[in-house]
């Protein structure tokens, strides 16, 4: 199944589900996403109980952009906590156990009010961080520049990679408090940069995350203290554009 089919089927499954036993939630049309499938091993395909994937490299693999201590704490404690808290919140919601993480985020407003915040914050945190680790290039595995379809879309929508990075940096540095800067693929098949608060996933609004820059202080404070702009520059130089390109489909 291609990504469009997956997402349309996923959205349809959410839209068409019999919500017996759940709090009645007004239906809303889920935006169609013109995009391919999530990668087969993507956390977005997980269902309850959710699990924390290991880092795809050693904790020091992205030095000096991200120091090993920050990487370890960030993954082993912060990301792990999102997974634990999501599982705890959904333990008694057996009707939701059939849905993937991607579906839970895309269909957020359909779920019982009592668990929407937990899905938004902890489900978002799980999805966002799982992508984030893979977007950081360990050493020589770094892809120097976008290629293929993603490169074409960047040229069309931003004119250049430099302009895209500048827009990402503006969003990342300007995000008030905790949040993320995102490169997303919109429902109309365009690339756009978003600054989103907390752990809000672009999927909440039907947009596909392509690149995410975590600007919570837990992501950078040990090495960079208040110099968020320096951290953002370092991260934008370590993006694995092959992984980013795979998100576009
Ligand atoms: Fe984080």
């Amino acid at each position: 199944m291609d990504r469009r089919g997956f997402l349309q089927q996923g959205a349809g499954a959410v839209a068409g589900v019999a919500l017996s036993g759940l709090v009645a939630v007004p239906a809303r049309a889920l935006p169609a996403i013109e995009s391919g499938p999530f990668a087969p091993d993507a956390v977005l395909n997980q269902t309850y109980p959710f699990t924390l994937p290991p880092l795809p490299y050693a904790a020091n693999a992205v030095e000096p952009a991200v120091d090993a201590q920050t990487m370890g704490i960030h993954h082993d404690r912060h990301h792990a906590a999102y997974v634990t808290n999501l599982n705890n919140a959904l333990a008694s919601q057996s009707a939701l156990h059939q849905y993937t993480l991607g579906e839970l985020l895309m269909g957020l407003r359909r779920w019982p009010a009592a668990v929407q915040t937990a899905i938004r914050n902890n489900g978002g945190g799980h999805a966002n961080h799982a992508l984030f680790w893979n977007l950081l290039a360990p050493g020589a595995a770094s892809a120097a520049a976008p290629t293929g379809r993603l490169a074409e879309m960047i040229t069309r929508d931003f004119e250049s990679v430099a302009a895209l990075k500048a827009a990402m940096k503006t969003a990342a540095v300007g995000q008030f408090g905790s949040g993320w800067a995102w490169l997303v693929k919109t429902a109309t098949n365009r690339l756009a940069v978003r600054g989103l608060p907390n752990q809000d996933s672009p999927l909440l609004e039907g947009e596909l995350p392509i690149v995410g820059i975590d600007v919570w202080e837990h992501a950078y404070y040990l090495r960079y203290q208040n110099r968020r702009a320096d951290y953002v520059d370092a991260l934008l130089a370590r993006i694995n554009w092959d992984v980013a390109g795979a998100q576009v489909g």
Side-chain angles (χ1 to χ4, degrees), residues 44-128:
L44 293 171
N45 295 319
Q46 285 188 359
T47 56
Y48 177 92
F50 300 95
T51 56
L52 176 68
L55 279 174
Y57 36 64
N60 65 356
V62 193
E63 291 265 15
V66 180
D67 60 281
Q69 183 181 22
T70 295
M71 184 71 83
I73 293 172
H74 198 175
H75 174 270
D76 299 350
R77 302 187 196 175
H78 291 279
H79 188 171
Y82 296 124
V83 176
T84 298
N85 292 336
L86 179 62
N87 284 333
N88 289 342
L90 295 183
S92 63
Q93 301 285 335
S94 58
L96 300 187
H97 293 178
Q98 65 184 296
Y99 297 110
T100 67
L101 180 57
E103 290 168 346
L104 289 171
L105 291 167
M106 288 191 295
L108 183 71
R109 295 174 182 87
R110 299 183 183 283
W111 315 130
V115 294
Q116 285 187 19
T117 298
I119 293 172
R120 181 175 198 146
N121 292 341
N122 297 295
H126 185 23
N128 296 343

Side-chain angles (χ1 to χ4, degrees), residues 74 78 82 129 132-133 180 199 214 216 218-219:
H74 198 175
H78 291 279
Y82 296 124
H129 287 86
F132 184 65
W133 310 130
W180 292 66
Q199 294 296 348
D214 185 347
W216 284 58
H218 68 222

Side-chain angles (χ1 to χ4, degrees), residues 76-222:
D76 299 350
R77 302 187 196 175
H78 291 279
H79 188 171
Y82 296 124
V83 176
T84 298
N85 292 336
L86 179 62
N87 284 333
N88 289 342
L90 295 183
S92 63
Q93 301 285 335
S94 58
L96 300 187
H97 293 178
Q98 65 184 296
Y99 297 110
T100 67
L101 180 57
E103 290 168 346
L104 289 171
L105 291 167
M106 288 191 295
L108 183 71
R109 295 174 182 87
R110 299 183 183 283
W111 315 130
V115 294
Q116 285 187 19
T117 298
I119 293 172
R120 181 175 198 146
N121 292 341
N122 297 295
H126 185 23
N128 296 343
H129 287 86
L131 176 60
F132 184 65
W133 310 130
N134 286 290
L135 283 167
L136 301 179
S142 175
T147 58
R149 177 65 179 144
L150 178 58
E152 295 171 4
M153 294 176 74
I154 290 171
T155 300
R156 182 193 67 189
D157 297 334
F158 292 93
E159 296 189 355
S160 68
V161 175
L164 166 63
K165 288 186 174 180
M168 289 285 289
K169 182 177 181 180
T170 297
V173 174
Q175 177 62 40
F176 181 76
S178 297
W180 292 66
W182 290 101
L183 174 65
V184 303
K185 186 176 177 182
T186 72
T188 55
N189 202 28
R190 310 289 294 189
L191 293 179
V193 169
R194 311 281 188 224
L196 298 181
N198 305 313
Q199 294 296 348
D200 282 8
S201 166
L203 291 169
L204 296 174
E205 299 300 330
E207 297 188 331
L208 193 70
I210 307 299
V211 175
I213 303 293
D214 185 347
V215 293
W216 284 58
E217 286 188 347
H218 68 222
Y220 64 88
Y221 207 82
L222 288 177

